[in-house]
Amino acid sequence: MNSAPSLAPRPDDEPPAVPGRLSPLRVGFVLLDQFTLAAFGGLIDALRLAADHGGRSRQIHASWTVMSLDGTPRRASCGVVVSDSAPLLDPAQFDYIAVCGGNDYLNEHPPAALLDYLRRAAACRARLIGVCTGTFAIAQAGLAARRTVCIHWNVLEAFQAQFPTLSAVTDKLFVDEGDLLSCAGSTAAIDLGLYLVTRHCGAAKANQAVRHMMLQGMRPPSLPQPHFVADLAKVTDARVHQAVHFMEQRLDDPPSMDAVARYVGCSTRQLERAFAAALGIAPAAFQRQLRTHYACWMLENSPRSITEIAFDCGFSDAAHFSREFRNAFAASPRQYRSARLAARKATT
């Protein structure tokens, strides 16, 4: 039996790196305190796996340098420490400066040296990337004005509180504004990395990284984040904010209203009165709205079956899900999915 033809060159077929030759894609990573490891690792690994054949990690088609303020170690939010980092290098040697944030986003006074470095990077036309909450630091440097930035849904309220005049969205995985890219973080950083690889190195290199990472493909930046956050900008009752956040975190396993009240630190009756005053709806009904809207997103953007989506959204079975969905949208989940897919095809 003849063996299958090779689909890609062997690693040894890859030309060796030439000293002094610039790679098509050069990224400098700046790690902030308590940075998110998943977002940083996803973005840098997308570059690494596209840079060389066979996962050998030679910086041929892409290169990267990990930096921190003064070259000091940085601890990720999960506790992992990156100790081997360079000080902040001349930004002119990079195509992009990726600022990797995490749990330190509530710090409204980052070091002046960091902000000055980001301003120098922008002045020398190195494009900035806000990874996870790294966008907070870029905004604090005054470099996000008149641009739309992508923020993880979990920190949207904090971003709006710090930067009320800036435009932030959570209905995308990442946003490219030309000189500033911003990414929601987590696995969306992989898609951003593949996007950059495609731009600078070509689709073949991006697909090479996709295969190594065992992905189905690169998700488009316009794909909405799988979140469903109510607009609570005009709600001043902290108990409502806390309760909604708790519900959002448990869409697949909805807590009882007694549990929500205990989380907030009030009685169930007090919670009901707070929701009625702030939103004009009972907390249980509000929780159902969150789950059915999550189901809408799943029906439009996921290939999962109706039964699987029912369980993902915290319903006991497909019949229970279908009843609640029909009550909310006057259509069955299957009818809704078919109509949305037809509408999408009609616009393409």
Side-chain angles (χ1 to χ4, degrees), residues 29-47:
F29 288 85
V30 178
L31 301 185
L32 305 185
D33 287 330
Q34 301 181 61
F35 69 94
T36 303
L37 188 61
F40 164 64
L43 177 52
I44 201 169
D45 248 18
L47 304 182

Side-chain angles (χ1 to χ4, degrees), residues 135-136 138-149 151 156 159-160 162-169 180:
T135 304
F136 280 68
I138 294 172
Q140 285 161 339
L143 300 171
R146 299 182 302 279
R147 295 163 180 80
T148 297
V149 295
I151 298 295
L156 177 62
F159 189 88
Q160 291 173 330
Q162 286 191 41
F163 312 105
T165 64
L166 297 184
S167 173
V169 298
L180 170 61

Side-chain angles (χ1 to χ4, degrees), residues 313-327:
C313 298
F315 295 97
S316 57
D317 52 40
H320 178 207
F321 170 47
S322 294
R323 286 195 302 273
E324 292 289 348
F325 195 91
R326 187 180 289 276
N327 288 339

Side-chain angles (χ1 to χ4, degrees), residues 79-145:
V80 170
V81 176
V82 175
S83 57
D84 188 14
S85 57
L88 300 180
L89 303 176
D90 182 1
Q93 65 185 280
F94 301 109
D95 300 306
Y96 300 88
I97 297 293
V99 186
C100 300
N103 283 355
D104 197 38
Y105 63 92
L106 294 178
N107 176 16
E108 297 187 23
H109 303 286
L114 171 66
L115 302 184
D116 289 342
Y117 179 77
L118 298 180
R119 296 182 188 114
R120 283 199 293 124
C124 71
R125 301 184 65 82
R127 298 179 183 92
L128 297 176
I129 303 176
V131 181
C132 193
T133 63
T135 304
F136 280 68
I138 294 172
Q140 285 161 339
L143 300 171

Side-chain angles (χ1 to χ4, degrees), residues 56-327:
R56 297 175 65 184
S57 305
R58 294 176 298 174
Q59 298 192 25
I60 299 173
H61 301 287
S63 63
W64 54 91
T65 301
V66 179
M67 302 178 288
S68 65
L69 192 63
D70 299 325
T72 52
R74 281 291 178 267
R75 184 182 299 274
S77 56
C78 65
V80 170
V81 176
V82 175
S83 57
D84 188 14
S85 57
L88 300 180
L89 303 176
D90 182 1
Q93 65 185 280
F94 301 109
D95 300 306
Y96 300 88
I97 297 293
V99 186
C100 300
N103 283 355
D104 197 38
Y105 63 92
L106 294 178
N107 176 16
E108 297 187 23
H109 303 286
L114 171 66
L115 302 184
D116 289 342
Y117 179 77
L118 298 180
R119 296 182 188 114
R120 283 199 293 124
C124 71
R125 301 184 65 82
R127 298 179 183 92
L128 297 176
I129 303 176
V131 181
C132 193
T133 63
T135 304
F136 280 68
I138 294 172
Q140 285 161 339
L143 300 171
R146 299 182 302 279
R147 295 163 180 80
T148 297
V149 295
C150 179
I151 298 295
H152 191 286
W153 62 266
N154 196 43
V155 297
L156 177 62
E157 286 188 30
F159 189 88
Q160 291 173 330
Q162 286 191 41
F163 312 105
T165 64
L166 297 184
S167 173
V169 298
T170 60
D171 61 349
K172 295 176 173 59
L173 297 180
F174 60 90
V175 169
D176 184 353
E177 285 280 37
D179 59 350
L180 170 61
L181 297 90
S182 49
C183 169
S186 191
T187 59
I190 298 175
D191 302 290
L192 174 57
L194 296 171
Y195 174 80
L196 297 179
V197 169
T198 301
R199 168 186 286 174
H200 291 271
C201 309
K205 287 298 174 188
N207 288 331
Q208 174 181 300
V210 165
R211 292 193 299 272
H212 274 285
M213 302 180 90
M214 295 188 290
L215 302 173
Q216 298 299 315
M218 183 184 80
R219 296 176 296 180
S222 59
L223 185 68
Q225 298 174 35
H227 81 289
F228 305 91
V229 179
D231 183 4
L232 303 181
K234 297 181 180 179
V235 176
T236 59
D237 193 326
R239 296 171 300 176
V240 174
H241 282 264
Q242 291 175 328
V244 170
H245 181 74
F246 188 53
M247 293 174 186
E248 290 166 352
Q249 294 292 315
R250 296 187 54 184
L251 289 175
D252 61 337
D253 181 26
S256 67
M257 290 305 106
D258 287 341
V260 175
R262 288 193 296 270
Y263 177 80
V264 173
C266 66
S267 70
T268 304
R269 182 66 61 85
Q270 288 171 327
L271 183 68
E272 290 173 347
R273 287 199 293 264
F275 266 74
L279 299 172
I281 190 174
F286 181 87
Q287 185 182 62
R288 283 195 298 273
Q289 284 186 0
L290 284 178
R291 290 158 60 205
T292 52
H293 281 83
Y294 183 28
C296 285
W297 185 91
M298 294 282 286
L299 289 166
E300 289 188 56
N301 298 284
S302 167
R304 294 173 71 78
S305 69
I306 302 296
T307 300
E308 289 172 325
I309 292 174
F311 291 134
D312 288 341
C313 298
F315 295 97
S316 57
D317 52 40
H320 178 207
F321 170 47
S322 294
R323 286 195 302 273
E324 292 289 348
F325 195 91
R326 187 180 289 276
N327 288 339

Side-chain angles (χ1 to χ4, degrees), residues 3-56:
S3 60
S6 174
L7 297 180
R10 298 188 308 275
D12 290 343
D13 293 336
E14 182 69 48
V18 177
R21 184 183 70 182
L22 297 179
S23 68
L25 173 57
R26 302 164 297 163
V27 181
F29 288 85
V30 178
L31 301 185
L32 305 185
D33 287 330
Q34 301 181 61
F35 69 94
T36 303
L37 188 61
F40 164 64
L43 177 52
I44 201 169
D45 248 18
L47 304 182
R48 180 183 69 84
L49 293 169
D52 195 1
H53 270 298
R56 297 175 65 184

